[in-house]
Amino acid sequence: MTSSFTIHDAAGYEQLMGRWSRVLAPRFIDFAGLADGERVLDVGCGTGSLTFALAASVDLAEVTAIDFSPVFVAAATRRNSDPRITIRQADACALPFEDGVFDRAMALLVLHFVPEADKAIAEMARVVRPEGVVAAAVWDHYGGMPGMRMMVDTVAGLNEAGRQMRARYCFQPMMQPGEMKRAFVEQGLVDVAATELMVRMDYQGFDDFWAPIAAGEGPLGKYVAALDAVERARVDAAVRDAYQAGRPDGPRSFASVAWACRGTVH
């Protein structure tokens, strides 16, 4: 499985997105459901936002977490002190588990970075027992992420690379209304339900917002890292101006929405 997510440093990812994943994780768990004694698979665990929230929620028998990135696997492993949690490198589109061995498989903020997202959903369904649950959530980049849209719309007005990056960012897999629900149904899941989950992303100032992107983290950071010095200076200044919006630098808060979907294995 290739991934469209660029990761260089786990700490940079934490500042870019991990801190918001941790806020979103309890809302996602409430939607997906969870029960004592279950065996749960976390697909695309990153630095462990969902993994550790699962373990803290109820008395699970086991949490198995996988990620394609060795950087994420190493970071999550360093954080782990719970014997119920196992973390390993694996491919979401070819899960290294037997059929029906988990009660639930969950993917938080992952499927939009998997080019073959349908295959990942099918794999999650394969490794969950009959009557078990598959659940996933992805950010609504087009209509539900005003903080990030502020950045991509700004750079789209500066150069062609920015316009191309915006088109990729806004239309990643599973992000359009109803798209993930249709994919769940097409992969044979039943009783499929969808909802929207909202959190706020609160930044202390422009540097808090911009530093991980400027360091090259994530798909937005990949665009910034490819700029020459002149274009980089233009982009830095333009995004700073958009963030500050004519007021002194300081805290800003953005409502952010994720699409969420769950279904039952038939």
Side-chain angles (χ1 to χ4, degrees):
M1 178 194 72
T2 57
S3 172
S4 60
F5 191 88
T6 303
I7 174 66
H8 302 291
D9 176 71
Y13 169 79
E14 280 291 302
Q15 187 176 1
L16 175 68
M17 194 54 64
R19 52 181 166 169
W20 314 128
S21 300
R22 288 195 299 276
V23 176
L24 184 62
R27 293 165 171 80
F28 178 52
I29 291 170
D30 286 346
F31 171 71
L34 206 59
D36 288 347
E38 289 188 333
R39 303 178 68 203
V40 181
L41 175 65
D42 178 4
V43 176
C45 65
T47 53
S49 297
L50 178 61
T51 306
F52 300 115
L54 286 165
S57 296
V58 299
D59 186 18
L60 295 176
E62 175 185 316
V63 180
T64 300
I66 66 104
D67 202 282
F68 192 67
S69 166
V71 175
F72 281 147
V73 171
T77 299
R78 285 193 298 270
R79 289 181 59 194
N80 183 38
S81 60
D82 190 329
R84 298 173 300 163
I85 297 174
T86 301
I87 303 164
R88 60 185 290 187
Q89 186 176 12
D91 184 342
C93 294
L95 293 171
F97 307 109
E98 299 296 325
D99 295 357
V101 294
F102 296 101
D103 298 292
R104 297 178 199 265
M106 301 165 69
L108 179 63
L109 307 179
V110 174
L111 292 184
H112 49 316
F113 295 117
V114 180
E116 296 179 291
D118 288 341
K119 185 178 290 186
I121 295 168
E123 277 291 275
M124 292 170 71
R126 179 185 65 78
V127 301
V128 169
R129 63 169 174 79
E131 307 304 320
V133 172
V134 172
V138 302
W139 292 122
D140 176 10
H141 280 182
Y142 182 85
M145 294 284 281
M148 297 300 115
R149 279 299 301 267
M150 174 187 70
M151 184 265 183
V152 298
D153 287 338
T154 297
V155 302
L158 297 179
N159 52 51
E160 178 60 27
R163 286 187 286 276
Q164 293 178 9
M165 184 270 289
R166 179 175 63 179
R168 292 191 300 271
Y169 179 81
C170 289
F171 297 101
Q172 289 176 262
M174 301 293 124
M175 286 189 170
Q176 302 313 300
E179 183 180 3
M180 191 159 47
K181 184 175 183 178
R182 288 192 297 272
F184 271 46
V185 172
E186 288 169 0
Q187 297 308 318
L189 293 160
V190 299
D191 299 325
V192 177
T195 192
E196 300 171 28
L197 306 173
M198 193 275 282
V199 301
R200 295 201 73 90
M201 295 182 175
D202 297 315
Y203 299 96
Q204 295 305 305
F206 177 70
D207 288 344
D208 189 29
F209 170 83
W210 187 238
I213 299 172
E217 299 297 344
L220 307 184
K222 184 178 181 180
Y223 156 79
V224 172
L227 299 172
D228 62 32
V230 173
E231 279 298 294
R232 173 64 180 269
R234 290 183 68 218
V235 164
D236 286 357
V239 177
R240 178 182 291 273
D241 183 65
Y243 175 91
Q244 294 175 349
R247 295 288 183 92
D249 192 15
R252 302 290 190 271
S253 181
F254 302 94
S256 302
V257 175
W259 302 113
C261 194
R262 69 169 184 259
T264 302
V265 176
H266 185 58

